[in-house]
C-alpha cells in the first residue's frame, strides 16, 4: 500500500498522479455525453441535427423545452414515473424490510437458507426473461396501461434487490437488542418497529434511494405494460425517434428534465448512496 500523501517517496507520488489522471479521464468519458446533451438542449432545432455539430450552442435558445411541453404530454409522463417509482419503493421497503429481518434472524434454518438462495437466483434472472410472461398476465386480466399494476410489477421485480440489501444490514444489528426488547415484554413486531428499525434507518434510506432509481430509470417494463394513460418518461423519450419522426431537439430537452431528479437525489443524499454501495461491495 502507498501513502495517501505526496512527498513520502517518488514511487508513491507517481502512483498518486497516475490515479488522478486515470480518474480524470474516466470522469470526462462519463460526463462528456451528458454535457453534450445538456448544451444541445439549448440549441435551436436546426443546430441539433446539423451535419457539422458544435459542442456549445452558436445561438442559445429555449425552443426545445417549449416544444417538449407543447407537442407532448410530458407532464403526465413525469407524474406517472414519479408515482410508479415512489409507490413501488414504499411497497418494497415495507414488505422487504419485514421479510429480510425475519430471514436474518433465522438464517441458521434450512428454510431461511433456501429463501436466501431463491432471492439470489431471482436477482440474477434477466429482466427480459420475466417481463414477457408478466405482459401476458397483465393482458389476460385486462390491466394493460394501468398505473397501479405498473407500481405492483416494479415492486415485484425490485423486491429481490431490497431483500438482498436489507438482509446484509439486519445481520449487522446485534441479536442482543432483540433479546433485550423481549425481556422488556416486546413481541417480534413491536421490537422490530421500536428497536431494530431506528437502528437500520440510514440503511433503509440508501436501499430506498437505489430502489427508487431502479424504477425511475426502467424502460423495458414500462414499454411493454403501458401505451398512453400510464406511460412513463423513458417510453415517451423513445417516441421522439421513430421511422417517420426525428425530434432530437425536444428529446434532449426532455432527457435533461428527466435527469434532474436523479441529480438532486444524488447530490443531497450522497452520504446514503455511498454507504449503500460500500455495504453491497463488502457484504454477501
Amino acid at each position: 500500500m502507498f501513502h495517501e500523501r505526496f512527498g513520502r517517496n517518488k514511487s508513491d507520488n507517481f502512483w498518486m498522479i497516475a490515479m488522478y489522471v486515470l480518474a480524470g479521464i474516466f470522469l470526462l468519458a462519463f460526463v462528456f455525453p451528458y454535457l453534450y446533451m445538456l448544451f444541445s438542449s439549448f440549441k435551436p432545432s436546426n443546430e441539433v441535427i446539423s451535419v457539422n455539430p458544435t459542442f456549445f450552442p452558436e445561438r442559445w435558445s429555449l425552443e426545445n423545452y417549449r416544444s417538449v411541453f407543447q407537442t407532448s404530454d410530458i407532464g403526465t409522463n413525469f407524474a406517472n414515473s414519479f408515482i410508479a417509482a415512489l409507490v413501488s419503493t414504499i411497497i418494497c421497503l415495507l414488505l422487504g424490510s419485514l421479510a429480510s429481518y425475519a430471514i436474518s434472524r433465522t438464517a441458521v434454518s434450512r428454510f431461511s437458507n433456501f429463501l436466501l438462495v431463491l432471492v439470489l437466483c431471482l436477482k440474477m434472472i434477466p429482466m427480459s426473461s420475466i417481463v414477457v410472461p408478466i405482459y401476458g398476465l397483465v393482458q389476460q386480466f385486462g390491466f394493460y396501461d394501468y398505473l397501479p399494476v405498473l407500481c405492483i410489477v416494479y415492486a415485484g421485480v425490485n423486491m429481490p434487490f431490497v431483500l438482498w440489501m436489507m438482509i446484509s444490514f439486519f445481520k449487522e444489528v446485534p441479536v442482543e437488542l432483540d433479546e433485550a426488547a423481549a425481556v422488556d415484554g416486546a413481541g417480534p413486531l413491536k421490537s422490530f418497529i421500536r428497536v431494530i428499525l431506528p437502528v437500520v434507518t440510514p440503511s433503509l434510506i440508501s436501499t430506498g434511494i437505489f430502489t427508487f432509481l431502479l424504477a425511475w430509470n426502467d424502460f423495458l417494463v414500462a414499454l411493454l405494460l403501458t401505451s398512453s394513460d400510464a406511460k412513463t418518461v423513458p417510453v415517451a423519450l423513445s417516441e421522439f425517434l421513430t421511422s417517420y419522426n426525428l425530434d432530437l431537439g425536444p428529446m434532449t430537452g426532455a432527457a435533461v428534465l428527466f435527469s434532474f431528479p436523479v441529480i438532486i437525489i444524488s447530490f443531497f443524499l450522497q452520504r446514503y448512496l455511498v454507504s449503500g454501495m460500500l455495504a453491497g461491495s463488502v457484504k454477501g
Side-chain angles (χ1 to χ4, degrees), residues 19-147:
M19 288 178 61
Y20 279 119
V21 171
L22 284 175
I25 292 173
F26 280 113
L27 179 63
L28 187 62
F30 277 109
V31 172
F32 179 81
Y34 183 79
L35 290 179
Y36 186 80
M37 181 187 68
L38 177 64
F39 289 120
S40 295
S41 69
F42 291 104
K43 298 176 181 176
S45 297
N46 59 335
E47 280 191 40
V48 177
I49 59 175
S50 173
V51 293
N52 296 313
T54 58
F55 185 76
F56 295 105
E58 295 181 358
R59 183 168 65 86
W60 293 80
S61 171
L62 294 177
E63 173 188 334
N64 295 323
Y65 291 96
R66 285 195 296 268
S67 179
V68 167
F69 288 99
Q70 290 172 356
T71 62
S72 67
D73 200 10
I74 198 70
T76 303
N77 304 143
F78 265 99
N80 290 337
S81 286
F82 183 76
I83 293 172
L86 182 64
V87 173
S88 63
T89 300
I90 293 173
I91 295 173
C92 280
L93 293 181
L94 284 175
L95 301 181
S97 60
L98 287 169
S100 55
Y101 171 66
I103 294 173
S104 67
R105 288 301 184 263
T106 57
V108 294
S109 68
R110 292 182 179 179
F111 183 67
S112 294
N113 288 331
F114 170 74
L115 285 177
L116 285 172
V117 174
L118 180 62
V119 168
L120 181 61
C121 292
L122 292 175
K123 188 179 176 184
M124 298 301 175
I125 297 176
M127 182 63 68
S128 56
S129 300
I130 61 175
V131 71
V132 174
I134 293 174
Y135 169 75
L137 289 173
V138 171
Q139 282 281 19
Q140 185 176 357
F141 288 105
F143 290 133
Y144 179 73
D145 200 21
Y146 195 47
L147 188 59

